[in-house]
């Protein structure tokens, strides 16, 4: 009785949110006539259409949810170049009301419908590729009709196998080989499944593409906050979720709970999910009721909560984020992959799992624990071990998140889009959508003092303190945003960053760079060369000064006052990049002032760079130094600004030659690969790889924009968009660097992974690049970004 009350309490807690979610879904959906094509959007008539043949919501099914998530990700990233439509699979028992993207419906139990659908698809000139989500149960009533359907299709077919059974008998092997023979490509979600297809079924390896099950980016909210929200304060939460059936083997956990509770009495086990609809047709609620009986038998009513509901995604992800350990106890050794398992990993849950192929592939010693099927003793021992070792749980959580980040739905969308391009024989060219402007993470990182230097994942790390570098860049980015939008709230942040720069300025006009969380200058200011930071401050202050007439006059006056004080010593700076940043700042300042002393200072600094260029450059090395390091593009950009102010051709010629040289060393078949922060590129040596930093890509985007604006060379415009697409997935690893969930930017692209921390440097650098692209877009200069 008590357990039933707890269940009702949880249902009440999520009811209001579910009602709002249902309302949103109702607004976005409409009835589609069955077997009749819906009216397409006129704007999408010329887009390449990909037809997904799959189960689809509101049908309650794991593959339906999978397809909806993938289609949403594809639309978010590629809706300007792809039109994704759906043929929903049904058994004819329920008439569903589908959302607008559903174009056709196939009753899988009727043989004649397969032939009819094949003819319709073949006659639809918009459809370029057919993608089929395959599960054996979908077509079991009409297997021969399904095979004939595949043979009759004249469009390229991609088939996604959600289950790949090892050791097939002759009949199954023949079926799969026949399916594979008529497909352009086969997608599986694990390398284990790919190996089985090649070794057990004889499918050629080049035909197989591994694209991991997608996962959701989440904001990684506070566990304690979420536990308080859902009435679980002080509890250690064990969770499982999914559509219930006996194959879940949830009774294994219930058997393990008495031992767990004896050691960890605060433990509570959440069983989230409704009974599987297909199971309910034949068995009713028999399995759930058997679990409830076991809870009573073991006197676990205070430690088990059934949430008999199909949760909306936001609530589900919150439950997973508050989970201390996720339990995956399936008893099916042939389950190739699990969406619930993937979702738990995306929420950084430490996982204890039975040894399905998916678990064996991703749960190494540092990312989770594997136990034998139905072994309650092993399960209880593993749970107790983790609950009593918080450092181990945290380590597993961090490692799990790093392991799973590459499988984000955004990355899955990139992989699918690349596959579509590959098999389309030139009929599909995919272009990235521009993400919405999002300053949320930048603002989250900003305190009353300024923007914090580092973050742990997406949580600001106040222990890292503040830097002049980051606040100067933040000032530029926020001014760019204000210039674009005129949002009054931006002024509040502009003042914060400007005041931080003022705080860092010393009586001599020099700036310190490092400030701790208590607003004290650190010893790093005495032990580190601060010239580059001083140059960036001049850039930021000059940019503010250039916005005279747009920003409030008191901000302009304060920026000029700080800037003038700093310029008294800039002439004595000889650091290459410090001089270049200073030239950029003085150029902006000079726009409205036209002071002759500024022009003299720019020429002084620029002539030093000219001498450096003449000393180092040659026929194969057109650069200012004997190496390429960081923030390289600011050097030719500074030459360009000097030419624009003076008209002296030498600055223009060096700007062009040095920038073209830099571009030749950083652009390749992968798009852009900026110089590694681990291996500088030295004259006469090969470039190092890995360690690509967002800041260098952002600077390159900004420089390309300026060169395009000045010279009108479309090559610069195309390279600018290619460089920006690095953030969106057009990079060596084909993974997103910008996180659209948080608005933050990952700290770097390493050899085989992205650095998940989203610090100030990376986040602000992305925003500067994004705002540069936005201004470019508003100039109506149509350059198409593509994969």
């Amino acid at each position: 009785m008590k357990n039933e009350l707890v269940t009702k309490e949880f249902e009440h807690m999520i009811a209001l949110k579910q009602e709002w979610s249902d309302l949103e879904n109702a607004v976005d959906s409409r009835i589609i006539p069955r077997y009749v094509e819906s009216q397409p959007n006129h704007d999408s008539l010329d887009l390449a259409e990909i037809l997904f043949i799959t189960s689809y919501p509101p049908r309650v099914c794991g593959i339906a949810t999978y397809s909806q998530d993938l289609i949403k990700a594809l639309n978010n990233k590629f809706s300007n170049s792809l039109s994704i439509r759906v043929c929903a699979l049904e058994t004819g028992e329920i008439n569903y009301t589908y959302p607008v993207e559903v174009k056709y419906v196939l009753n899988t139990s009727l043989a004649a419908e397969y032939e009819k659908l094949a003819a319709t698809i073949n006659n639809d000139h918009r459809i370029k590729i057919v993608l089929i989500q395959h599960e054996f149960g979908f077509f079991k009533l009409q297997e021969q009709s399904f095979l004939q359907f595949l043979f009759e299709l004249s469009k390229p077919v991609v088939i996604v196998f959600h289950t790949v059974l090892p050791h097939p008998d002759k009949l199954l092997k023949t079926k799969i080989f026949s399916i594979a023979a008529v497909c352009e490509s086969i997608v599986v979600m694990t390398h284990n499944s790919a190996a089985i297809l090649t070794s057990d079924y004889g499918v050629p390896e080049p035909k197989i593409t591994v694209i991991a099950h997608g996962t959701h980016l989440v904001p990684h909210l506070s566990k304690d906050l979420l536990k308080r929200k859902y009435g679980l304060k002080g509890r250690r939460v064990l969770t499982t979720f999914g559509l219930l059936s006996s194959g879940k083997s949830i009774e294994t956990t219930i058997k393990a709970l008495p031992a767990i509770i004896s050691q960890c009495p605060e433990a509570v086990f959440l069983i989230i999910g409704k009974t599987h609809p297909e199971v309910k047709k034949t068995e009713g609620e028999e399995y759930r009721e058997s679990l409830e009986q076991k809870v009573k038998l073991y006197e676990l009513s205070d430690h088990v909560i059934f949430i008999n509901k199909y949760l909306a995604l936001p609530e589900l992800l919150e439950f997973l984020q508050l989970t201390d350990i996720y339990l995956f106890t399936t008893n099916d050794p042939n389950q190739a992959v699990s969406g619930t398992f993937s979702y738990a990993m995306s929420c950084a849950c430490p996982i204890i799992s039975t040894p399905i192929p998916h678990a064996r592939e991703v749960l190494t010693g540092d990312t989770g624990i594997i136990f034998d099927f139905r072994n309650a003793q092993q399960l209880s021992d593993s749970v107790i071990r983790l609950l009593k070792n918080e450092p181990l749980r945290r380590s597993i959580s961090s490692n799990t998140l790093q392991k799973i980040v590459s499988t984000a739905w955004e990355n899955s969308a990139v992989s699918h889009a690349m596959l579509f391009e590959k098999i389309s024989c030139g009929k599909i060219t995919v272009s990235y959508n521009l993400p919405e402007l999002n300053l949320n993470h930048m603002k989250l990182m900003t305190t009353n003092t300024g923007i914090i230097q580092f973050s742990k994942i997406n949580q600001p790390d106040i222990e890292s303190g503040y830097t002049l570098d980051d606040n100067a860049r933040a000032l530029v980015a926020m001014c760019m945003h204000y210039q674009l939008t005129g949002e009054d709230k931006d002024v509040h942040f502009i003042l914060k960053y400007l005041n931080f720069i003022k705080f860092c300025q010393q009586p001599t006009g020099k700036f310190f760079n490092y400030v701790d969380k208590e607003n004290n200058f650190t010893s790093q200011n005495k032990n580190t060369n601060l010239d580059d930071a001083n140059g960036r401050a001049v850039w930021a202050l000059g940019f503010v000064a250039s916005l005279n007439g747009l920003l409030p006059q008191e901000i302009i006056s304060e920026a000029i006052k700080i800037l003038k004080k700093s310029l008294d010593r800039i002439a004595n700076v000889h650091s290459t990049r410090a001089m270049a940043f200073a030239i950029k700042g003085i150029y902006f300042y000079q726009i409205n002032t036209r002071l002759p002393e500024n022009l003299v200072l720019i020429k002084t600094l620029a002539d030093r760079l000219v001498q450096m260029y003449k000393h180092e450059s040659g026929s194969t090395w057109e650069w200012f130094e004997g190496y390429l390091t960081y923030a390289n593009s600011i050097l030719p950009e500074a030459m360009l600004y000097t030419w624009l102010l003076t008209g002296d051709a030498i600055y223009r010629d060096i700007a062009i030659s040095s920038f073209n040289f830099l571009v030749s060393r950083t652009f390749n078949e992968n798009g852009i690969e900026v110089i590694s922060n681990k291996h500088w590129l030295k004259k006469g040596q090969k470039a190092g790889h890995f360690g690509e930093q967002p800041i260098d890509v952002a600077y390159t985007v900004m420089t390309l924009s300026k060169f395009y604006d000045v010279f009108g060379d479309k090559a610069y415009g195309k390279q600018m968009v290619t460089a920006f697409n690095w953030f969106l997935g057009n990079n060596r690893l084909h993974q997103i660097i910008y996180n659209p969930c948080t608005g933050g930017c990952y700290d770097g692209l390493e050899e085989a992974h992205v650095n998940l921390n989203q610090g100030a440097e990376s986040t602000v650098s992305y925003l500067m690049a994004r705002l540069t692209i936005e201004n470019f877009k508003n100039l109506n200069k149509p350059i198409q970004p593509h994969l």
Side-chain angles (χ1 to χ4, degrees):
M1 179 67 179
K2 185 173 182 179
N3 194 63
E4 293 175 355
L5 291 174
V6 175
T7 301
K8 290 179 179 178
E9 180 182 352
F10 265 79
E11 290 181 344
H12 176 71
M13 282 193 292
I14 61 179
L16 292 177
K17 290 185 177 181
Q18 185 63 47
E19 287 176 9
W20 176 249
S21 176
D22 291 341
L23 178 61
E24 289 182 313
N25 291 336
V27 170
D28 290 336
S29 64
R30 61 187 177 91
I31 298 175
I32 305 299
R34 312 184 78 71
Y35 301 105
V36 178
E37 180 180 347
S38 63
Q39 291 297 314
N41 295 326
H42 292 295
D43 292 341
S44 66
L45 285 176
D46 295 330
L47 300 182
E49 185 171 304
I50 314 296
L51 182 68
F52 276 53
I53 300 180
T54 177
S55 59
Y56 205 69
R59 180 175 176 179
V60 178
C61 164
I63 292 177
T65 303
Y66 169 92
S67 293
Q68 187 178 55
D69 287 338
L70 175 56
I71 289 170
K72 181 180 179 181
L74 283 163
N75 284 332
N76 285 342
K77 292 194 75 70
F78 304 112
S79 63
N80 289 330
S81 49
L82 292 176
S83 174
I84 311 297
R85 306 301 295 274
V86 175
C87 172
L89 299 177
E90 291 185 358
T91 59
E93 298 175 356
I94 301 175
N95 290 330
Y96 295 104
T97 299
Y98 289 108
V100 67
E101 62 265 27
V102 174
K103 186 174 183 177
Y104 307 114
V105 175
L106 173 64
N107 186 333
T108 56
S109 63
L110 300 178
E113 299 302 327
Y114 290 87
E115 182 179 359
K116 180 179 178 181
L117 178 63
T120 302
I121 292 172
N122 291 340
N123 291 328
D124 190 333
H125 70 277
R126 289 185 296 273
I127 297 175
K128 300 298 187 284
I129 292 174
V130 177
L131 183 145
I132 303 172
Q133 305 288 354
H134 181 276
E135 184 59 72
F136 290 101
F138 284 164
F139 309 107
K140 62 183 179 182
L141 297 179
Q142 294 292 344
E143 288 185 353
Q144 191 57 43
S145 298
F146 173 65
L147 286 173
Q148 187 62 35
F149 166 76
L150 292 177
F151 278 104
E152 289 179 2
L153 285 177
S154 61
K155 309 294 175 78
V157 175
V158 177
I159 196 152
V160 183
F161 283 127
H162 287 256
T163 298
V164 179
L165 298 173
H167 316 300
D169 58 26
K170 185 176 180 180
L171 179 59
L172 179 59
K173 184 174 181 178
T174 300
K175 289 178 182 176
I176 297 300
F177 194 84
S178 297
I179 292 172
V182 297
C183 295
E184 290 292 323
S185 183
I186 296 169
V187 173
V188 292
M189 299 178 199
T190 67
H191 292 281
N192 178 75
S193 293
I196 292 173
L197 282 179
T198 55
S199 62
D200 291 11
Y201 292 89
V203 177
E205 187 174 340
K207 184 168 276 195
I208 303 170
T209 300
V210 178
I211 303 177
H213 191 296
T215 55
H216 294 279
L217 297 172
V218 298
H220 300 290
L221 303 172
S222 163
K223 256 188 212 304
D224 291 338
L225 180 66
L226 290 173
K227 285 182 180 180
R228 287 197 297 270
K229 176 179 178 179
Y230 288 102
L232 294 167
K233 181 180 179 181
R235 306 301 295 270
R236 294 296 184 188
V237 180
L238 316 175
T239 301
T240 192
F241 88 92
L243 297 172
L244 263 61
S245 68
S246 59
K248 299 284 186 182
S249 195
I250 292 172
E251 62 273 13
T252 303
T253 302
I254 294 174
K255 290 178 183 177
L257 275 176
I260 294 169
I261 293 165
S262 69
Q263 297 294 311
C264 306
E266 70 277 17
V268 60
F269 179 38
L270 305 185
I271 304 171
I272 302 174
K274 298 170 64 176
T275 299
H276 196 294
E278 297 302 316
V279 172
K280 196 169 183 178
K281 288 177 188 176
T282 57
E283 302 175 12
E285 293 288 356
E286 181 180 332
Y287 181 62
R288 181 186 299 277
E289 290 167 359
S290 73
L291 297 177
E292 291 172 345
Q293 288 299 317
K294 286 182 173 61
V295 169
K296 292 179 181 178
L297 176 65
Y298 293 115
E299 298 181 348
L300 296 172
S301 295
D302 292 335
H303 299 275
V304 179
I305 298 173
F306 290 86
I307 303 177
N308 184 14
K309 196 174 187 72
Y310 193 81
L311 293 185
L313 181 63
E315 285 75 28
L316 174 61
L317 294 178
E318 286 190 345
F319 273 110
L320 291 175
Q321 287 175 80
L322 65 79
T323 294
D324 292 290
I325 303 174
Y326 185 79
L327 304 178
F328 187 77
T329 56
T330 181
N331 57 25
D332 180 4
N334 293 321
Q335 184 171 349
V337 70
S338 166
T340 65
F341 185 101
S342 298
Y343 282 25
M345 289 191 76
S346 72
C347 292
C349 295
I351 296 177
I352 301 174
S353 172
T354 48
I356 66 167
H358 192 185
R360 293 199 305 269
E361 194 162 299
V362 300
L363 292 188
T364 53
D366 61 348
T367 56
I369 297 173
I370 292 177
F371 74 102
D372 292 335
F373 294 106
R374 300 186 179 89
N375 194 320
Q377 180 66 51
Q378 288 183 7
L379 177 58
S380 63
D381 290 346
S382 299
V383 170
I384 292 168
R385 176 189 169 204
L386 283 186
L387 288 181
K388 287 186 170 295
N389 192 335
E390 186 169 347
L392 178 59
R393 280 204 320 278
R394 289 184 175 177
S395 175
I396 289 177
S397 177
S398 176
N399 294 334
T400 295
L401 192 60
Q402 185 66 71
K403 186 96 171 183
I404 203 68
V405 67
S406 64
T407 69
W409 281 115
E410 289 77 5
N411 293 331
S412 179
V414 170
S415 296
H416 279 86
M418 292 173 61
L419 179 62
F420 297 155
E421 272 198 335
K422 178 182 175 182
I423 68 174
S424 71
C425 301
K427 295 179 181 178
I428 294 177
T429 300
V430 179
S431 303
Y432 288 89
N433 296 348
L434 282 178
E436 294 289 331
L437 284 168
N438 183 351
L439 273 61
N440 288 347
H441 189 60
M442 182 177 176
K443 292 178 178 179
L444 176 68
M445 293 285 289
T446 301
T447 68
N448 289 331
T449 298
I451 191 165
I452 297 170
Q453 183 177 192
F454 297 141
S455 74
K456 294 179 179 178
I457 310 299
N458 65 316
Q459 297 304 310
D461 180 13
I462 188 61
E463 297 298 323
S464 67
Y466 309 86
T467 68
L468 174 67
D469 281 330
D470 291 330
N471 281 273
R473 283 185 289 260
L475 179 57
V476 171
M478 194 59 74
C479 284
M480 291 173 70
H481 188 263
Y482 184 73
Q483 192 177 23
L484 176 71
T485 67
E487 290 185 12
D488 291 338
K489 292 180 181 179
D490 291 352
V491 175
H492 172 69
F493 289 91
I494 288 170
L495 278 169
K496 282 188 180 184
Y497 306 136
L498 180 61
N499 286 335
F500 184 88
I501 294 175
K502 180 181 179 180
F503 172 74
C504 289
Q505 191 168 43
Q506 304 304 295
T508 61
K510 176 183 178 180
F511 298 96
F512 280 169
N513 189 29
Y514 301 100
V515 178
D516 68 18
K517 66 178 182 178
E518 304 296 339
N519 293 351
N520 299 311
F521 293 114
T522 72
S523 60
Q524 289 170 281
N525 292 295
K526 298 178 181 178
N527 305 322
T528 306
N529 188 319
L530 303 178
D531 284 351
D532 283 4
N534 278 253
R536 292 186 186 95
V538 170
W539 165 34
L541 293 166
F543 185 62
V544 173
S546 74
L547 301 180
N548 190 17
L550 178 66
L551 285 171
Q553 190 57 46
E554 58 269 24
I555 291 179
I556 300 295
S557 299
E558 188 66 32
I560 291 175
K561 180 181 177 181
I562 302 168
L563 178 59
K564 283 182 175 179
K565 189 175 180 180
S566 71
L567 292 182
D568 293 340
R569 63 172 301 278
I570 285 296
N572 297 320
V573 170
H574 288 77
S575 173
T576 312
R577 283 151 189 80
M579 292 190 292
F581 279 115
I583 289 171
K584 186 172 183 176
I586 300 167
Y587 166 83
F588 282 116
Y589 179 36
Q590 189 71 352
I591 289 174
N592 291 324
T593 59
R594 307 289 181 182
L595 297 174
E597 58 266 32
N598 288 344
L599 199 58
V600 171
L601 181 53
I602 279 184
K603 283 179 63 66
T604 298
L605 299 174
D607 286 344
R608 289 177 190 162
L609 293 175
V610 169
Q611 291 305 311
M612 295 176 69
Y613 181 84
K614 289 180 176 179
H615 182 266
E616 291 291 344
S617 66
S619 59
T620 61
W621 187 265
E622 300 175 81
W623 197 243
F624 305 85
E625 300 162 313
Y627 41 78
L628 291 169
T629 57
Y630 61 93
N632 295 299
S633 69
I634 190 62
L635 303 183
E637 190 177 347
M639 291 287 95
L640 181 61
Y641 287 127
T642 307
W643 171 62
L644 291 173
L645 286 178
T646 67
D648 291 349
I650 188 171
Y651 302 122
R652 179 201 61 202
D653 295 343
I654 293 176
I656 294 172
S657 63
S658 62
F659 190 50
N660 288 347
F661 169 76
L662 176 63
V663 166
S664 73
R665 297 304 176 100
T666 51
F667 281 79
N668 56 34
E669 66 277 3
N670 293 325
I672 186 173
E673 287 190 48
V674 291
I675 304 303
S676 167
N677 70 339
K678 295 178 173 60
H679 307 284
W680 303 137
L681 173 56
K682 297 180 179 179
K683 186 190 299 186
Q685 297 183 8
K686 292 183 177 180
H689 293 284
F690 323 130
E692 299 170 55
Q693 301 296 293
I695 189 170
D696 288 319
V697 178
Y699 284 152
T700 304
V701 168
M702 298 173 82
T703 303
L704 282 161
S705 174
K706 189 63 182 178
F707 270 71
Y708 178 72
D709 284 339
V710 171
F711 298 112
D713 186 339
K714 289 185 177 180
Y716 290 136
K718 290 179 179 179
Q719 287 165 336
M720 178 185 68
V721 178
T722 296
F724 180 75
N725 286 346
W726 180 89
F727 291 100
L728 308 183
N730 187 26
N731 52 54
R732 178 173 44 81
L733 295 183
H734 307 299
Q735 293 185 29
I736 57 169
I737 309 299
Y738 168 66
N739 183 327
C741 174
T742 64
C745 179
Y746 297 133
D747 277 352
L749 189 68
E750 306 301 338
E751 180 174 359
H753 67 277
V754 296
N755 182 332
L756 293 183
N757 296 325
Q758 298 161 50
E761 177 183 291
S762 300
T763 295
V764 174
S765 295
Y766 164 79
L767 283 170
M768 289 191 297
R770 175 65 184 84
L771 288 160
T772 298
I773 291 288
E774 185 73 16
N775 286 328
F776 175 86
K777 182 184 73 174
N778 289 344
L779 290 174
N780 295 315
K781 297 177 180 177
I783 302 294
Q784 286 297 318
H786 56 83
L787 290 176

